[in-house]
Every structure is written in structure tokens, then in C-alpha cells.
């Protein structure tokens, strides 16, 4: 089941953020500040459906995935807006349809905001098998637009 997050979900979302971080390329390189994650969840829940969204995926009554979305001015200077995701994660325990359903919820939210003219979710190499996320977005009708480059330091 996909639904908007509630404040009571934040502790479980924090556990999933820890799990997500541990599975990422940053597990040994970057320090997760879980309090910052929790603080990010509060306005995403408060403004859900307006300037942000935070959907959760439940499997067997337990939150096992989430997507956090925001809108921002296109290129930071336009009157029009775009929607993007900040975090998109489904745990190994999530229903196999959870990621697809979270993506649908995010797209439905973004497409309902009148000032949004583009939806631009990101796919980075932070997680293993990141290509699966790209294929998911392509199945949803999005197309690859550009690329992201990185130089790891330290």
C-alpha cells in the first residue's frame, strides 16, 4: 500500500535511511546525520501535496520504502517549476511492486502541481544496481536527459 507519510512514520523512515546509507557507496566514506534526515521529513510531511511529497510503501503493515519529492524553480531562476526526488528507496523486504507504485505516486503528485513543467527524478550511482531505477523511470514514460559526472575526493 502506498500512502502519504505521517509523523509517526519518521522513526521507521530513519531506520530505512540508515539501511539505505549502509547499502550505498557512501557507507564507508560519508557520515549519515540521521537527525538531519528526520528534520527533512517534517516539512515534507507538513507540505505534502503542495511544495513537497513524502510517500511511503507498506508491506504487511510495515513501512518498507519511501520517496521524498520537492518542487523548485527551473534552473533556480524561472517562474515555472520542476519536480524532483531527494530520496527514493525500497528495502529488500518491500513488496516487489513497491518501487513502481512509489514512482507512480510521485509522478501523480508532480503532474498535479500546475506550475510544474518538468519532472526530473534523479538516478545516481550511490546505490548498487542503480540502472534498475533508470529502467523503472523509462517504463513510466520518462527519458534519459543528460548525465551526471562525479570525481571522488579524499
Amino acid at each position: 500500500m502506498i500512502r502519504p507519510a505521517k509523523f509517526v512514520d519518521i522513526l521507521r523512515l530513519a531506520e530505512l535511511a540508515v539501511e539505505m546509507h549502509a547499502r550505498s557507496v557512501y557507507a564507508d566514506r560519508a557520515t549519515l546525520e540521521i537527525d538531519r534526515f528526520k528534520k527533512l521529513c517534517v516539512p515534507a510531511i507538513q507540505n505534502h501535496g503542495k511544495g513537497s511529497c513524502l510517500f511511503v510503501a507498506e508491506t504487511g503493515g510495515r513501512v518498507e520504502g519511501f520517496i521524498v519529492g520537492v518542487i523548485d524553480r527551473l534552473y533556480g531562476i524561472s517562474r515555472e517549476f520542476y519536480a524532483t526526488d531527494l530520496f527514493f528507496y525500497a528495502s529488500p523486504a518491500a513488496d516487489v511492486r513497491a518501487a513502481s507504485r512509489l514512482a507512480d505516486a510521485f509522478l501523480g503528485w508532480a503532474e498535479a502541481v500546475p506550475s510544474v513543467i518538468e519532472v526530473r527524478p534523479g538516478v545516481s550511482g550511490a546505490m548498487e544496481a542503480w540502472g534498475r531505477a533508470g529502467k523503472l523511470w523509462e517504463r513510466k514514460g520518462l527519458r534519459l536527459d543528460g548525465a551526471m559526472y562525479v570525481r571522488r575526493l579524499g
Side-chain angles (χ1 to χ4, degrees), residues 9 26 28 84 86 103 119 133 137 145:
D9 296 321
Y26 299 110
D28 297 329
T84 191
L86 298 179
V119 182
W137 290 121
D145 182 45

Side-chain angles (χ1 to χ4, degrees), residues 16-152:
L16 288 172
V18 169
E19 180 180 294
M20 177 180 66
H21 178 73
R23 295 180 64 199
S24 78
V25 298
Y26 299 110
D28 297 329
R29 297 185 61 239
T31 305
L32 176 64
E33 292 189 32
I34 201 63
D35 285 341
R36 286 187 180 271
F37 176 81
K38 290 177 187 176
K39 288 178 183 173
L40 180 138
C41 291
V42 171
I45 293 170
Q46 287 172 329
N47 297 318
H48 182 88
K50 301 170 197 140
S52 63
C53 71
L54 177 42
F55 290 101
V56 297
E58 288 185 344
T59 300
R62 182 173 165 91
V63 173
E64 293 294 348
F66 64 96
I67 189 165
V68 179
V70 297
I71 62 170
D72 196 5
R73 291 184 184 281
L74 191 62
Y75 295 112
I77 56 173
S78 296
R79 181 177 298 143
E80 295 77 20
F81 290 79
Y82 77 104
T84 191
D85 65 316
L86 298 179
F87 296 100
F88 183 18
Y89 181 71
S91 80
D95 182 289
V96 296
R97 299 161 295 195
S100 180
R101 291 176 175 169
L102 284 167
D104 288 339
F106 167 76
L107 291 171
W109 161 76
E111 291 167 0
V113 179
S115 58
V116 168
I117 65 167
E118 287 187 354
V119 182
R120 302 181 70 79
V123 177
S124 77
M127 299 296 289
E128 74 273 358
W130 58 267
R132 290 175 51 205
K135 288 183 173 114
L136 170 66
W137 290 121
E138 288 174 6
R139 284 194 307 273
K140 301 295 179 184
L142 285 77
R143 66 175 175 78
L144 182 62
D145 182 45
M148 184 181 296
Y149 295 88
V150 65
R151 176 180 289 168
R152 303 224 188 270

